[in-house]
Each structure stands twice: as structure tokens, then as C-alpha cells.
Amino acid sequence: MMPRLFYIILVNLAVPFILLRLFWRGRKEPGYKQKWWERFAFYRSPCLRPSKTPIIWLHAVSVGETHAAKPLIDALLERYPDHHLLLTSTTATGYATVQELYKHEPRILQTWMPYDLPCASWRFFRRFKPQLCIMLETEIWPNLLAEAARNKIPVMLANARLSRQSARAYARIMPLIRPALANLAAVAAQSEADANRLAILGAPRISVCGNLKFDTRLAPTLLQLGEDWKKALNRPIWLAASTREGEEALLLDLQRKLCQSPIRPLLVLVPRHPQRFDAVAHLLARHDFVFSRRSQGLPDRDAEVWLGDSMGEMPAYYRLADLAFIGGSLLPLGGQNLIEAAAAACPVLIGPHTFNFAQATLDAIATGAARRVQNAAELGEEITELLVNPTELQAMRESALAFAEKHRGATGRTMCILEKLLSTSPAPAASRQRAQGKHPAGEDEA
């Protein structure tokens, strides 16, 4: 109890700084200022919580987690037609992704994830009364989990992953983390390694279910868009996907050398965070590259770089490219997920730093869908070798599709666990009456 009390004091003292940071980020990303009061679980819209309707709550931090959760969300909507799904986000891009993906789904509710303050957690659960909470990947919030346990609401950590670095960090605060994890009703881990690290920290009832991202079906319209771009450009193309600050300068030095080679490939450069699109454009201008932006249309024949300043079009970029480098991995940033590239049949090159997606990366390399490079110089050598060797590229494309197909099925395994939790979770009165063929007072008969 004492570690959590100390944590509560620290979180409350941090509130002024949290607000300052929120509004500072809102200067460049206005989405952070949108309905900011909901982060403290104050709600102005009475229709945000439909009366007497059972709710399943799912939290996905940002864009990647939201896309990863889509197969699970679709399965929940189909399996529980009488329920609404409440989706929460932490980042502005995650919030915008929910709006874009589910703007035509009336059973999807949306709000911000409340800060881990006891009072905010209390207001949140009092407002929504979810039957079940699903937290994506590595969301461990002591106060929220304690409040869920106090309300007897089961919480599942789904698509759970925990890198060695994160496990070491959590181990330093074990007296706080172990009781928080003990409040989980179930854990669906991505891999055996993730399961073992979570078990050491004290997580109970762990199952290895695989990665939900493998079950994501790429939109045919986006894949066709990529094919159309490929035909229109008709030249060798390599993609730098989800790059992070500090990597672009290394990649542009490499592209300068490639532009002086007989291949002269086009670099499609897609930064991870949209708030950096303009900064990367300025970097390109300073380096005197001939470039254009996706928002301006297709690049000219003499373009050296095409800046992918769009959201939600990664499948199209992957289908366009002859091969892709996955960002966040040249520098010690942990890498990004390569599963979407594999599903689009795009050969992958990846740097040495992939601790955030270690198992998927190792599996992709083992099957021939991906190759690892140690630095920008090796990256350039691999790009050159593959772009002049269509046979090797085709073999990697086939391996990528086989890799993606082999690992499907996490959604079904996760749903089996969720169904058991929901069957033992106390249903709201209205839901129980519906299940018994009765209509709650105040509801019209069909």
C-alpha cells in the first residue's frame, strides 16, 4: 500500500506539469487540446454514455496499437451486437485514427484515456461502468487497475509485449508493479519471451496468443493505390518507413550516394510522427534534394525523394516500394513493426535496434522475409544488391507473404479468453433482461 500511496502523491504533484506539457504539445498538434478535460474524466456530452447499454472498453495508446486492435474490435462488434465499444487513446494521432476508422460505426464510443489519478479513475468507471476492460500491449496503470478491481471489473492485457529494457525498468519499482499486475484477470502475450518477462514481474493467468497485427487485413483500395503509383513512377524505389528523428540525416546521406550510382532509385521517406513532416521537408531543402510531398501529388521524374506526408497510407507505400527499411532501428529507439510490410509483400531491411519488436523481427529474418543491417553503410549495400537482383527480391516477397500468413490467428485465441471473462462478469440489469428476452423499463419494444 505504501508504494502506491507514494505513487499517488507523485502523480498528483505532477498534474500542473502534465497540463503544461499537454498544452505545449497542443501548439504543434491541436488534437492534444481537443476535449482535454476528458483526460481528467470530466464529460460534457450526455450522449457519450448510452443509458443501460453494456460497454466493453478497449484502450490503445496510439496509431500502431489502434490498427493492431482492429481485428479484435471487429470481432467484438460481431460477437456482442448488444454492446457498445468504448475506445480510448493517449496520443492525438491515435485519437484521430479511431475517428477515421470508425466514423460510420454507431456502436463505437470514443474518449481520452484518463490520467492515472485516483479521482479520475473513479469518475471514469462511475460514468461508463464497463463489463470488461482490454488494455493493449504494455499499459500498466496502478490506480486505474486498483479502481477496476474495487469495482469488480475484469481487466485483460491483450497483445501484451514487454521488452528486456522495459522489464528491467519495471523491476526497479516491483513493489508498485507487482500489486498492479495482480489485478489483471488475464494476459494474452504476443510471445513466450513476453509471457516469461511478465510472469517474473507477477502477472497472473498468462496465455501466449500471438500478435494481433498479423490478423489485420490491408485495405484493397490502398494496395491498388500503391500499384497505381508503381506503374506511374516506373523506376527503382526504396522506402524508409516510420523514421525517427536523427535517422533521416543518415538516410539522406545514403540516398545521396545512391543517386550517384547507376541505379538512381527514388527514396520514399515517411516519418513516424506527422508533426515532423514539415521539419523533414526543411531538412530535405537544406540538403539540396530534388523532392516533392505526397500532399502535392506524384513526384516528377527527376525527383530524388518523395516525402510521405500523409496518414493511413502505409499499405500503399509498402506496395509501391521494391523494398523497405523499417525506421527506429538504425538508432537505439527499439524499431517499429514490420508485420504490415510483410502483409503487403514488401521485402524488409531493418537495423540493429529492434528490442520493441524482437520476436517478430527474429521470425521474419529466419523465414527470409527480412534482413538485418548494422549501419547505414550496410543498408546501402543491401539496397544496391537487391535492386539489381529481381530474383532475390521476388524470393523475399514470397517469404514475406508466407511469414504473415503463418502467424495469423491471434484474434481467435484472444477472443476465447475474452468470452470467458465476459461470461463471468456481472452484466448490467438491462443486458441481463435482454438476454432473458425481457425489455428494461423505459425501453420501447421492437
Side-chain angles (χ1 to χ4, degrees):
M1 184 61 188
M2 284 303 295
R4 192 161 79 87
L5 179 59
F6 183 61
Y7 171 74
I8 290 170
I9 293 170
L10 283 179
V11 172
N12 278 279
L13 290 174
V15 167
F17 303 100
I18 291 171
L19 280 170
L20 282 172
R21 184 173 182 272
L22 184 66
F23 281 90
W24 180 260
R25 294 194 71 175
R27 293 167 65 247
K28 290 186 177 180
E29 293 180 82
Y32 278 100
K33 293 188 287 188
Q34 182 181 0
K35 299 181 180 178
W36 62 269
W37 50 88
E38 291 183 0
R39 293 180 183 267
F40 294 89
F42 292 109
Y43 304 99
R44 297 180 179 179
S45 173
C47 61
L48 186 57
R49 201 299 180 207
S51 177
K52 300 179 182 177
T53 304
I55 283 178
I56 298 169
W57 168 35
L58 186 145
H59 174 62
V61 174
S62 191
V63 177
E65 293 86 354
T66 303
H67 281 294
K70 191 175 188 308
L72 184 60
I73 293 168
D74 292 342
L76 287 166
L77 288 169
E78 180 179 356
R79 175 67 178 82
Y80 298 100
D82 288 337
H83 286 65
H84 278 70
L85 263 65
L86 173 68
L87 303 186
T88 58
S89 311
T90 300
T91 69
T93 50
Y95 194 93
T97 300
V98 171
Q99 291 179 320
E100 178 61 29
L101 289 177
Y102 301 106
K103 57 188 173 186
H104 301 303
E105 176 50 69
R107 290 195 291 133
I108 294 288
L109 309 175
Q110 183 182 21
T111 185
W112 291 103
M113 173 72 164
Y115 290 131
D116 199 32
L117 297 158
C119 55
S121 298
W122 178 82
R123 284 191 295 269
F124 180 86
F125 284 111
R126 185 167 178 254
R127 172 84 174 204
F128 294 107
K129 301 179 179 65
Q131 276 188 267
L132 174 69
C133 308
I134 306 166
M135 314 295 286
L136 263 290
E137 298 203 358
T138 318
E139 290 295 286
I140 305 168
W141 297 107
N143 291 326
L144 187 142
L145 289 171
E147 186 64 23
R150 193 178 70 82
N151 285 274
K152 296 182 172 55
I153 298 170
V155 180
M156 177 183 186
L157 192 62
N159 213 40
R161 63 181 176 92
L162 191 67
S163 68
R164 287 191 184 92
Q165 287 84 342
S166 295
R168 283 196 292 266
Y170 280 128
R172 296 189 190 104
I173 51 172
M174 188 71 87
L176 177 66
I177 290 301
R178 186 175 288 276
L181 288 171
N183 289 322
L184 293 171
V187 176
Q190 292 186 17
S191 70
E192 289 285 355
D194 295 311
N196 291 336
R197 285 191 279 268
L198 285 161
I200 290 170
L201 291 178
R205 296 170 285 279
I206 304 174
S207 304
V208 178
C209 294
N211 194 329
L212 292 172
K213 191 77 172 178
F214 282 105
D215 292 343
T216 301
R217 298 290 179 179
L218 304 182
T221 52
L222 290 175
L223 296 177
Q224 185 58 53
L225 178 62
E227 292 284 355
D228 294 343
W229 288 344
K230 185 187 288 285
K231 290 177 184 176
L233 295 175
N234 191 29
R235 58 185 291 195
I237 296 169
W238 71 285
L239 166 68
S242 299
T243 58
R244 304 279 294 275
E245 188 172 3
E247 287 186 316
E248 288 92 2
L250 299 173
L251 297 172
L252 291 179
D253 286 343
L254 170 58
Q255 176 64 1
R256 180 68 73 201
K257 295 174 184 175
L258 291 172
C259 286
Q260 294 167 356
S261 72
I263 307 170
R264 294 195 70 252
L266 173 69
L267 166 60
V268 179
L269 180 58
V270 185
R272 170 71 175 169
H273 300 112
Q275 64 268 28
R276 297 189 57 245
F277 289 159
D278 289 341
V280 175
H282 292 146
L283 182 66
L284 286 163
R286 287 201 305 274
H287 282 70
D288 294 322
F289 275 97
V290 180
F291 77 97
S292 63
R293 300 172 69 139
R294 160 71 182 105
S295 55
Q296 299 168 340
L298 287 173
D300 296 331
R301 185 67 192 176
D302 60 347
E304 298 166 313
V305 180
W306 194 30
L307 177 59
D309 61 345
S310 64
M311 291 288 292
E313 291 188 330
M314 280 310 304
Y317 292 124
Y318 284 128
R319 184 52 64 92
L320 160 70
D322 294 300
L323 56 90
F325 165 73
I326 306 298
S329 62
L330 267 186
L331 300 177
L333 301 167
Q336 300 298 151
N337 209 324
L338 49 71
I339 295 171
E340 193 172 41
C346 185
V348 166
L349 299 175
I350 197 153
H353 306 288
T354 55
F355 52 81
N356 284 333
F357 303 93
Q359 192 61 54
T361 301
L362 291 174
D363 290 344
I365 292 170
T367 60
R371 296 182 182 181
R372 192 188 295 279
V373 299
Q374 296 302 317
N375 49 51
E378 284 190 23
L379 177 60
E381 291 170 5
E382 288 286 352
I383 291 170
T384 302
E385 178 187 337
L386 288 169
L387 288 182
V388 299
N389 195 327
T391 303
E392 283 191 50
L393 271 179
Q394 183 58 31
M396 288 186 74
R397 288 190 194 100
E398 293 171 2
S399 295
L401 283 175
F403 163 70
E405 190 62 38
K406 177 184 176 181
H407 290 84
R408 296 191 194 280
T411 302
R413 291 185 283 271
T414 304
M415 281 296 294
C416 287
I417 300 171
L418 292 174
E419 287 169 0
K420 291 177 183 176
L421 292 178
L422 276 169
S423 68
T424 58
S425 175
S431 181
R432 289 197 302 270
Q433 289 173 355
R434 250 192 302 272
Q436 296 166 4
K438 302 174 183 178
H439 294 275
E443 289 190 4
D444 295 330
E445 297 200 16

